[in-house]
Amino acid sequence: MSLLDKLRALPGQAAQPLRMRKTAEVSGTVEFLETSPLVALLIFIATVAAIVLITFVGVTTANLPVLPNQISPVHITASESFSYDSSLKTAAVHERVRNQVPRVFRLDLSLLQRFEADVATLLTNLAEVEKEIASLPAPERAAKLSAVVDTFDAAGPYRATIDDIEDLLSAGDAGKRAELVGHGLSVLREVSEEGVQDEQTFGNRSEVGNLSVFQIARPSGDVVQRPVQTMEEALTLLRVNLGAEGLPRDTANALFRLLRNGLAPNLVFDTDATFRLQEQAVARIPTVAVNVERGQILVERGNRVSPEQYEMIEAHRKYRLEHSTSENEEGLELFGRILLVLAMVMASVFYIRLEDRETLQSNGRLGLLALVVIANLAFVRLTHWAGGLNYFLSHTTAASLLPYFAPTALAPLIVAILIDAGSAIFMALLISIFTSVIYGNRLDLLVLTFLASMVGIFCCRQVRKRGAVVRAAGLGGLVVATFALLIGIIEQQAFFSAPYTVPKQMLAGLSTGLLTGIMVVGILPVIEGLFKRTTDITLLELTDFNHPLLRRMQMEAPGTYHHSLVVALLAENAANAIGANPLIARVCSLFHDIGKIKKPEYFTENQRDRANPHDENNPSLSALIIKAHVKDGVDFAVKHRLPRAVIDSIQQHHGTSLIRYFFQRALRDKAGTTPVAAGETRSPFGSSAGERVCETTYRYDGPKPQTREAAIIHLADGVEAASRSLRKVTPQHLGELIDQIFRDRIEDGQLDEAPVTLEELTKVKSSFNFTLLNMLHGRVGYEQQSAAPEGPRPQSASS
């Protein structure tokens, strides 16, 4: 088979030129989008516009959840002049009017009626015993009368005496006594119907001249004002009226002493009549209107919100919802807000320029930052918007929970995982500032959300498990819950009594933290795919040796698999030594040679005792086969959706280095010829006699390593392959070999595009030396056998 036929027989070789052109076109477009200043400017403008739209348009103090008796977290002033009917002040006036309305009483004559019945019984009993006692001796007579008196006194709170009864008996027969007592009861009724007051009702009188006037309810329901006599006055009136009848003095006194037992205060408070009178008075009082001027302070930040202030804030809220400001005022306000957002975004740009220039040079990273910040602020605005719903307007306690439901740590956690902690901290500050602006310039909310985000960022610095993300966000929520408790204690809010505002705020903060972690875990894979970012979580999952590509490498190219494991160990330790990402170095090393799966027998480490197929090939053909494992590796990586970092590492792990073994062999085959410069063009199918060898044919297509991790893998790959050629591993020999490889790669310009310093390269060399010495150490010989030393195998076949 001719050389041309062999090349055509290589799978995919014929289609490579067209595929390479298409790939180049796509790569050029991607490169333009990634680095174009115009795209960066569009991202900047879109970010400013989105933040202005989210954080300011339609945001007013109308939805601020401020609770009565709470220390106000914001300073609220009236944006417009307005008036409202104050229910609190109206209620205070009504209460004052109610207290001024005299209480209404009714006459209670039930005691008099009972007394009249008891007196009738007394007269009956006297008539019965009158005949019996007429002939009885004085002691027995007194005993009979005493029994009658005791019966009368027992019927009520009466205090009759035997002497009074004797005087009554001496006034005449039963008819005469009945007439006298009946006349006395009539006088007693007249006195009682005038009303008799006591000390308890005395305080409810009204003074009209020298008279005590009371509100008396008639049986008809009417209420009249008239004077009411005291108990002393009533007794005097009763005595005078009885004395005017011309009775004997002893009889009149006895009758007075008997009838005064039926005289008692008889004014009873009438609740219904009093309430009706108070309501009639209140109905005549107009509603109290309160006028508020524009710029008037409704509540000061740090002051406890009184019920009157809360009512004024609620009235201001309703007014703002029902009325809009003028177009000129809206325009000026919007312009000021645009300037604020512009200043904040410019500050972000300067921070990135100083601390993370790599992000500023990547439109993909800038787009990622812009997207997560805008999305996070949109979630915050959504919670603020919910405060305008009817339910939250009527349930202020529920509205006060909304700031604690805002997932402000969402973007900082994503940025910390996908980019770095520095950018995440600044994003956390940016989001906290605008969250406080959305909720009415609340300083406490700014500090609280920023601290919670910082805790989450600290716990997500080197997260490698998805559960750790939820735990980090949960700790941030715990911070929010703790500070909600502390703020509640400072503001003296009730903890164990309704409406349980503080426990609800604590639960809201903790729940939001856990939900934020779950959201981050769910969003990360999507963002990784959109922006070609790779998290340590994804990388750690790729270290599973049961990955299809690694399993296939174990079965079909075991030598390459072992080589990849050693390179992974070398690269990981070296990355740790210089502060690079050891996980990226490890994962990329595991997959850097997966292209050798396609033709494993063409690489030395997989040949074992089999014949070397390169012995029958032209050097240029062998070089093309060796170079093809890079393109094949990229194809495998794309097919299995490996991260961009792994694909880049596969492309860069050889850079544009020379496949020296086959190049030297080509030179030997064309002894005496001069190598062609790298820029000249020669046929890749070898050369006929007299043609010079083209060096480009024997160089990898590149690109050169672009990252520190790629540079480490590039060096580790060469060092591991070369170390296998050492007959005896000693620190001196190994150190000289590593120094030589590093020197060759530097002189060849392979590290020109990698961000590594000479100091870091020195640390990498030391790490390689230490790791290889521990891996290639000798063992105690159990049997001494003579063995012919083996010469070094071709280095290029395994590199």
Side-chain angles (χ1 to χ4, degrees), residues 337-412:
R337 291 170 175 176
I338 292 175
L339 289 180
L340 175 62
V341 176
L342 190 63
M344 289 301 303
V345 177
M346 284 298 298
S348 302
V349 172
F350 287 129
Y351 173 83
I352 295 173
R353 174 68 175 78
L354 294 173
E355 300 294 335
D356 189 10
R357 184 173 298 183
E358 183 180 356
T359 296
L360 192 61
Q361 295 172 347
S362 170
N363 290 336
R365 285 194 176 195
L366 292 177
L368 171 61
L369 290 176
L371 178 63
V372 296
V373 169
I374 291 171
N376 202 158
L377 289 177
F379 278 116
V380 174
R381 177 62 189 274
L382 181 63
T383 60
H384 180 270
W385 169 84
L389 299 178
N390 292 330
Y391 174 80
F392 291 103
L393 289 176
S394 58
H395 297 79
T396 311
T397 302
S400 68
L401 303 179
L402 292 177
Y404 296 92
F405 280 115
T408 54
L410 182 64

Side-chain angles (χ1 to χ4, degrees), residues 453-604:
S453 298
M454 287 294 294
V455 171
I457 293 169
F458 179 81
C459 297
C460 277
R461 289 173 300 163
Q462 295 179 342
V463 63
R464 294 189 176 185
K465 293 183 179 179
R466 301 190 187 276
V469 178
V470 180
R471 182 168 61 253
L475 289 175
L478 183 61
V479 171
V480 174
T482 303
F483 272 79
L485 173 61
L486 296 177
I487 292 173
I489 294 174
I490 294 173
E491 296 182 355
Q492 301 178 2
Q493 297 186 31
F495 188 85
F496 296 106
S497 60
Y500 305 103
T501 303
V502 175
K504 290 177 181 178
Q505 290 175 344
M506 295 175 63
L507 182 61
L510 187 58
S511 302
T512 302
L514 294 175
L515 290 175
T516 299
I518 295 173
M519 290 174 62
V520 171
V521 170
I523 293 172
L524 276 178
V526 179
I527 297 181
E528 287 183 71
L530 286 176
F531 293 93
K532 307 303 180 184
R533 304 293 301 174
T534 305
T535 65
D536 286 352
I537 299 173
T538 301
L539 291 174
L540 194 62
E541 292 172 351
L542 291 176
T543 60
D544 183 5
F545 293 147
N546 289 316
H547 189 280
L549 283 177
L550 296 181
R551 290 292 297 172
R552 185 175 172 185
M553 189 188 299
Q554 294 175 39
M555 301 302 296
E556 299 179 18
T560 300
Y561 176 73
H562 181 265
H563 162 74
S564 298
L565 292 179
V566 177
V567 172
L569 181 59
L570 289 170
E572 185 175 13
N573 291 341
N576 271 319
I578 67 171
N581 191 322
L583 190 55
I584 290 180
R586 178 184 174 190
V587 172
C588 293
S589 298
L590 290 175
F591 290 91
H592 80 284
D593 268 347
I594 56 174
K596 294 181 180 180
I597 298 175
K598 199 165 189 179
K599 290 181 177 296
E601 69 277 6
Y602 281 89
F603 300 91
T604 305

Side-chain angles (χ1 to χ4, degrees), residues 54-55 59-60 64 377 380-381 384 434-440:
I54 292 172
T55 59
V59 176
T60 67
L64 293 179
L377 289 177
V380 174
R381 177 62 189 274
H384 180 270
F434 284 115
T435 298
S436 70
V437 169
I438 290 175
Y439 280 97

